[in-house]
Amino acid sequence: MIHGGDGGSDIATTLVDRGVVKSFDAFYALLLEATPEPVFQPGAYQLKTKMVASTALDALLVDGTRLRQTVVVPEGTAAVDVLQSISEGTDIPLTDVQAAAANVGSFGLPPEATTLEGFLFPATYTFSPGDTAQVVLQAMVDRQFEALDSAGVAVTDRWSTVVFASLIQREAGLAADYYKVSRVFLNRLEPARWQSGLLQSDATVAYGTGNTHLVTTTDAERGDAGNAYNTYVHPGMVVGPISNPGDLAIDAALNPLDGPWLFFVTVNLDTGETVFSTTVAEHDAAVVVWQNWMREHPEYG
């Protein structure tokens, strides 16, 4: 998806994240050199993976790569961004999508749900011209119900499963790590292992501040008790979903690996390498590795 207001760096980042191009720098440099400056229409585009940067740029500017009535929802996208994508990928005004989404009780969600967060399944959707916002949103909700049913989740457990899966979705990187991240948070909910009962997830704090794209926070944000999603202050599971999880995160929520881990930190943001630790000393050593990597890669700062 290309969203309204996306700049060149946003588009380059999206292409790298989706595997279309390998190098951010190569694609971004092409944009800076292009005359006249390329103009991209918001919406969903269909491109191959592993493209040369120049070929990807040409493809984005050719009629036919932009898909009509199509919405792409990546795993971990927050509901506010899904609504935006629906409007940009279809002919439905954003105000209509937002109004339909606000009628939460019309979608058959668990009684705890106050928004659609967590229940808009990440996938690629193609709709028919004339489909209403209610129809589009219900299709995404129904698809999430299908995923939960396929995973063996009872209707009464949909809320708790989606809440936990949404946390794993935002905090885990590599696919194999989802099941370890799941175990870390479950271990932190065991008083014998982790007295405070605080999950201490930056992703939850960021969500509560409205920064749905971030997993980093400030000292002040982590100390804000007024943020209901602040798991540095409020013990137990986060109060609600913080993203829309996919099949992998749901499976990890249901089938965590066995292990004693209490900490994890991604020490290489390029590869996603993550170190899981049991003791504070082990974790502190891993944090030093991450800090050193960040110093060597200031572009991530």
Side-chain angles (χ1 to χ4, degrees):
M1 293 292 294
I2 291 180
H3 303 288
D6 275 0
S9 62
D10 300 311
I11 295 170
T13 298
T14 298
L15 293 177
V16 171
D17 289 345
R18 306 306 291 173
V20 175
V21 299
K22 183 177 181 180
S23 170
F24 172 96
D25 293 335
F27 185 84
Y28 191 59
L30 282 176
L31 291 182
L32 296 179
E33 295 168 1
T35 305
E37 181 180 347
V39 176
F40 302 97
Q41 296 300 316
Y45 289 77
Q46 184 173 30
L47 295 94
K48 297 178 180 178
T49 57
K50 301 180 180 178
M51 298 180 76
V52 175
S54 58
T55 307
L57 176 58
D58 291 342
L60 286 173
L61 300 174
V62 171
D63 287 340
T65 53
R66 184 173 180 271
L67 303 175
R68 303 296 178 181
Q69 304 299 325
T70 299
V71 181
V72 180
V73 181
E75 289 85 352
T77 305
V80 63
D81 300 311
V82 177
L83 303 189
Q84 183 75 35
S85 293
I86 291 171
S87 176
E88 292 169 344
T90 68
D91 299 323
I92 306 172
L94 179 58
T95 52
D96 290 0
V97 182
Q98 292 169 332
N103 188 15
V104 179
S106 67
F107 294 98
L109 298 181
E112 298 93 337
T114 58
T115 72
L116 297 184
E117 194 71 81
F119 292 91
L120 302 173
F121 187 80
T124 298
Y125 298 88
T126 300
F127 300 103
S128 300
D131 280 347
T132 65
Q134 179 78 25
V135 168
V136 169
L137 291 167
Q138 189 68 62
M140 295 183 175
V141 171
D142 289 346
R143 181 64 186 82
Q144 183 62 286
F145 289 163
E146 288 177 17
L148 293 167
D149 291 346
S150 296
V153 177
V155 172
T156 52
D157 293 332
R158 283 176 173 174
W159 175 255
S160 60
T161 301
V162 164
V163 171
F164 189 23
S166 77
L167 171 61
I168 296 168
Q169 186 74 71
R170 290 294 289 145
E171 286 281 14
L174 300 176
D177 290 340
Y178 277 57
Y179 300 87
K180 286 186 176 181
V181 168
S182 177
R183 176 53 63 190
V184 168
F185 288 126
L186 289 175
N187 284 345
R188 288 189 175 191
L189 293 175
E190 289 188 26
R193 291 177 180 267
W194 191 258
Q195 263 190 325
S196 71
L198 297 170
L199 295 184
Q200 296 181 336
S201 162
D202 286 81
T204 65
V205 179
Y207 181 85
T209 68
N211 293 318
T212 57
H213 299 92
L214 300 179
V215 291
T216 55
T217 56
T218 66
D219 290 341
E221 288 169 342
R222 291 190 295 274
D224 179 13
N227 179 351
Y229 289 84
N230 186 351
T231 53
Y232 279 86
V233 174
H234 304 295
M237 183 54 66
V238 62
V239 294
I242 63 169
S243 74
N244 289 284
D247 287 320
L248 178 61
I250 292 170
D251 190 55
L254 299 172
N255 301 291
L257 276 180
D258 289 332
W261 314 290
L262 291 167
F263 308 90
F264 62 90
V265 59
T266 301
V267 296
N268 185 318
L269 300 186
D270 279 341
T271 65
E273 178 188 355
T274 299
V275 174
F276 291 81
S277 306
T278 303
T279 68
V280 173
E282 292 170 347
H283 179 62
D284 287 346
V287 169
V288 171
V289 174
W290 168 69
Q291 291 171 336
N292 290 338
W293 190 92
M294 289 294 289
R295 275 192 289 270
E296 295 170 2
H297 300 80
E299 67 272 18
Y300 285 89

